[in-house]
PDB file of all heavy atoms in Angstrom:
ATOM      1  N   LEU A 243     -31.363  36.639  11.292  1.00 55.00           N
ATOM      2  CA  LEU A 243     -30.938  37.887  10.679  1.00 55.00           C
ATOM      3  C   LEU A 243     -32.122  38.719  10.244  1.00 55.00           C
ATOM      4  O   LEU A 243     -32.142  39.953  10.348  1.00 55.00           O
ATOM      5  CB  LEU A 243     -30.036  37.597   9.483  1.00 55.00           C
ATOM      6  CG  LEU A 243     -28.629  37.104   9.797  1.00 55.00           C
ATOM      7  CD1 LEU A 243     -27.885  36.723   8.525  1.00 55.00           C
ATOM      8  CD2 LEU A 243     -27.852  38.149  10.564  1.00 55.00           C
ATOM      9  N   LEU A 244     -33.169  38.060   9.724  1.00 55.00           N
ATOM     10  CA  LEU A 244     -34.365  38.810   9.282  1.00 55.00           C
ATOM     11  C   LEU A 244     -35.042  39.469  10.464  1.00 55.00           C
ATOM     12  O   LEU A 244     -35.473  40.633  10.380  1.00 55.00           O
ATOM     13  CB  LEU A 244     -35.320  37.869   8.563  1.00 55.00           C
ATOM     14  CG  LEU A 244     -34.889  37.406   7.159  1.00 55.00           C
ATOM     15  CD1 LEU A 244     -35.864  36.372   6.610  1.00 55.00           C
ATOM     16  CD2 LEU A 244     -34.794  38.609   6.220  1.00 55.00           C
ATOM     17  N   LEU A 245     -35.159  38.736  11.575  1.00 52.00           N
ATOM     18  CA  LEU A 245     -35.817  39.306  12.749  1.00 52.00           C
ATOM     19  C   LEU A 245     -35.012  40.479  13.308  1.00 52.00           C
ATOM     20  O   LEU A 245     -35.559  41.527  13.663  1.00 52.00           O
ATOM     21  CB  LEU A 245     -35.984  38.227  13.828  1.00 52.00           C
ATOM     22  CG  LEU A 245     -37.020  37.141  13.517  1.00 52.00           C
ATOM     23  CD1 LEU A 245     -36.973  36.030  14.554  1.00 52.00           C
ATOM     24  CD2 LEU A 245     -38.429  37.734  13.474  1.00 52.00           C
ATOM     25  N   ALA A 246     -33.697  40.290  13.369  1.00 52.00           N
ATOM     26  CA  ALA A 246     -32.862  41.365  13.882  1.00 52.00           C
ATOM     27  C   ALA A 246     -32.844  42.564  12.949  1.00 52.00           C
ATOM     28  O   ALA A 246     -32.888  43.730  13.380  1.00 52.00           O
ATOM     29  CB  ALA A 246     -31.438  40.854  14.096  1.00 52.00           C
ATOM     30  N   GLY A 247     -32.826  42.289  11.649  1.00 56.00           N
ATOM     31  CA  GLY A 247     -32.782  43.375  10.672  1.00 56.00           C
ATOM     32  C   GLY A 247     -34.022  44.228  10.684  1.00 56.00           C
ATOM     33  O   GLY A 247     -33.958  45.460  10.560  1.00 56.00           O
ATOM     34  N   ALA A 248     -35.185  43.583  10.838  1.00 52.00           N
ATOM     35  CA  ALA A 248     -36.439  44.346  10.848  1.00 52.00           C
ATOM     36  C   ALA A 248     -36.493  45.302  12.042  1.00 52.00           C
ATOM     37  O   ALA A 248     -37.077  46.382  11.949  1.00 52.00           O
ATOM     38  CB  ALA A 248     -37.610  43.371  10.888  1.00 52.00           C
ATOM     39  N   ALA A 249     -35.875  44.892  13.145  1.00 50.00           N
ATOM     40  CA  ALA A 249     -35.964  45.718  14.361  1.00 50.00           C
ATOM     41  C   ALA A 249     -34.924  46.836  14.391  1.00 50.00           C
ATOM     42  O   ALA A 249     -35.081  47.813  15.100  1.00 50.00           O
ATOM     43  CB  ALA A 249     -35.783  44.834  15.594  1.00 50.00           C
ATOM     44  N   THR A 250     -33.847  46.704  13.620  1.00 54.00           N
ATOM     45  CA  THR A 250     -32.738  47.644  13.780  1.00 54.00           C
ATOM     46  C   THR A 250     -32.370  48.393  12.502  1.00 54.00           C
ATOM     47  O   THR A 250     -31.372  49.125  12.476  1.00 54.00           O
ATOM     48  CB  THR A 250     -31.479  46.871  14.247  1.00 54.00           C
ATOM     49  OG1 THR A 250     -31.148  45.897  13.244  1.00 54.00           O
ATOM     50  CG2 THR A 250     -31.703  46.192  15.564  1.00 54.00           C
ATOM     51  N   ALA A 251     -33.135  48.238  11.450  1.00 53.00           N
ATOM     52  CA  ALA A 251     -32.749  48.871  10.158  1.00 53.00           C
ATOM     53  C   ALA A 251     -32.650  50.368  10.267  1.00 53.00           C
ATOM     54  O   ALA A 251     -31.692  50.983   9.768  1.00 53.00           O
ATOM     55  CB  ALA A 251     -33.777  48.483   9.081  1.00 53.00           C
ATOM     56  N   ILE A 252     -33.621  51.002  10.917  1.00 54.00           N
ATOM     57  CA  ILE A 252     -33.613  52.456  11.010  1.00 54.00           C
ATOM     58  C   ILE A 252     -32.437  52.943  11.856  1.00 54.00           C
ATOM     59  O   ILE A 252     -31.765  53.920  11.524  1.00 54.00           O
ATOM     60  CB  ILE A 252     -34.957  52.963  11.613  1.00 54.00           C
ATOM     61  CG1 ILE A 252     -36.101  52.559  10.689  1.00 54.00           C
ATOM     62  CG2 ILE A 252     -34.907  54.479  11.821  1.00 54.00           C
ATOM     63  CD1 ILE A 252     -37.471  52.943  11.223  1.00 54.00           C
ATOM     64  N   VAL A 253     -32.171  52.232  12.960  1.00 53.00           N
ATOM     65  CA  VAL A 253     -31.075  52.618  13.834  1.00 53.00           C
ATOM     66  C   VAL A 253     -29.736  52.528  13.092  1.00 53.00           C
ATOM     67  O   VAL A 253     -28.893  53.429  13.169  1.00 53.00           O
ATOM     68  CB  VAL A 253     -31.045  51.730  15.099  1.00 53.00           C
ATOM     69  CG1 VAL A 253     -29.830  52.075  15.954  1.00 53.00           C
ATOM     70  CG2 VAL A 253     -32.323  51.926  15.875  1.00 53.00           C
ATOM     71  N   VAL A 254     -29.542  51.456  12.352  1.00 56.00           N
ATOM     72  CA  VAL A 254     -28.293  51.255  11.623  1.00 56.00           C
ATOM     73  C   VAL A 254     -28.121  52.346  10.576  1.00 56.00           C
ATOM     74  O   VAL A 254     -27.016  52.913  10.383  1.00 56.00           O
ATOM     75  CB  VAL A 254     -28.266  49.866  10.962  1.00 56.00           C
ATOM     76  CG1 VAL A 254     -27.065  49.740  10.014  1.00 56.00           C
ATOM     77  CG2 VAL A 254     -28.202  48.782  12.023  1.00 56.00           C
ATOM     78  N   GLN A 255     -29.199  52.677   9.865  1.00 60.00           N
ATOM     79  CA  GLN A 255     -29.105  53.694   8.825  1.00 60.00           C
ATOM     80  C   GLN A 255     -28.709  55.049   9.433  1.00 60.00           C
ATOM     81  O   GLN A 255     -27.867  55.772   8.903  1.00 60.00           O
ATOM     82  CB  GLN A 255     -30.436  53.813   8.093  1.00 60.00           C
ATOM     83  CG  GLN A 255     -30.406  54.821   6.951  1.00 60.00           C
ATOM     84  CD  GLN A 255     -31.742  54.869   6.223  1.00 60.00           C
ATOM     85  OE1 GLN A 255     -32.722  54.280   6.678  1.00 60.00           O
ATOM     86  NE2 GLN A 255     -31.776  55.555   5.098  1.00 60.00           N
ATOM     87  N   HIS A 256     -29.322  55.386  10.566  1.00 60.00           N
ATOM     88  CA  HIS A 256     -28.992  56.649  11.218  1.00 60.00           C
ATOM     89  C   HIS A 256     -27.545  56.669  11.693  1.00 60.00           C
ATOM     90  O   HIS A 256     -26.843  57.673  11.541  1.00 60.00           O
ATOM     91  CB  HIS A 256     -29.926  56.847  12.438  1.00 60.00           C
ATOM     92  CG  HIS A 256     -29.594  58.073  13.242  1.00 60.00           C
ATOM     93  ND1 HIS A 256     -29.822  59.352  12.783  1.00 60.00           N
ATOM     94  CD2 HIS A 256     -29.022  58.207  14.467  1.00 60.00           C
ATOM     95  CE1 HIS A 256     -29.421  60.219  13.697  1.00 60.00           C
ATOM     96  NE2 HIS A 256     -28.950  59.546  14.733  1.00 60.00           N
ATOM     97  N   GLN A 257     -27.081  55.543  12.241  1.00 66.00           N
ATOM     98  CA  GLN A 257     -25.693  55.466  12.691  1.00 66.00           C
ATOM     99  C   GLN A 257     -24.723  55.634  11.523  1.00 66.00           C
ATOM    100  O   GLN A 257     -23.703  56.315  11.638  1.00 66.00           O
ATOM    101  CB  GLN A 257     -25.439  54.138  13.408  1.00 66.00           C
ATOM    102  CG  GLN A 257     -26.139  54.022  14.744  1.00 66.00           C
ATOM    103  CD  GLN A 257     -25.949  52.661  15.383  1.00 66.00           C
ATOM    104  OE1 GLN A 257     -25.530  51.717  14.705  1.00 66.00           O
ATOM    105  NE2 GLN A 257     -26.250  52.555  16.670  1.00 66.00           N
TER     106      GLN A 257
END
Side-chain angles (χ1 to χ4, degrees):
L243 288 174
L244 288 174
L245 289 173
T250 61
I252 298 176
V253 176
V254 171
Q255 184 178 8
H256 175 71
Q257 290 176 345

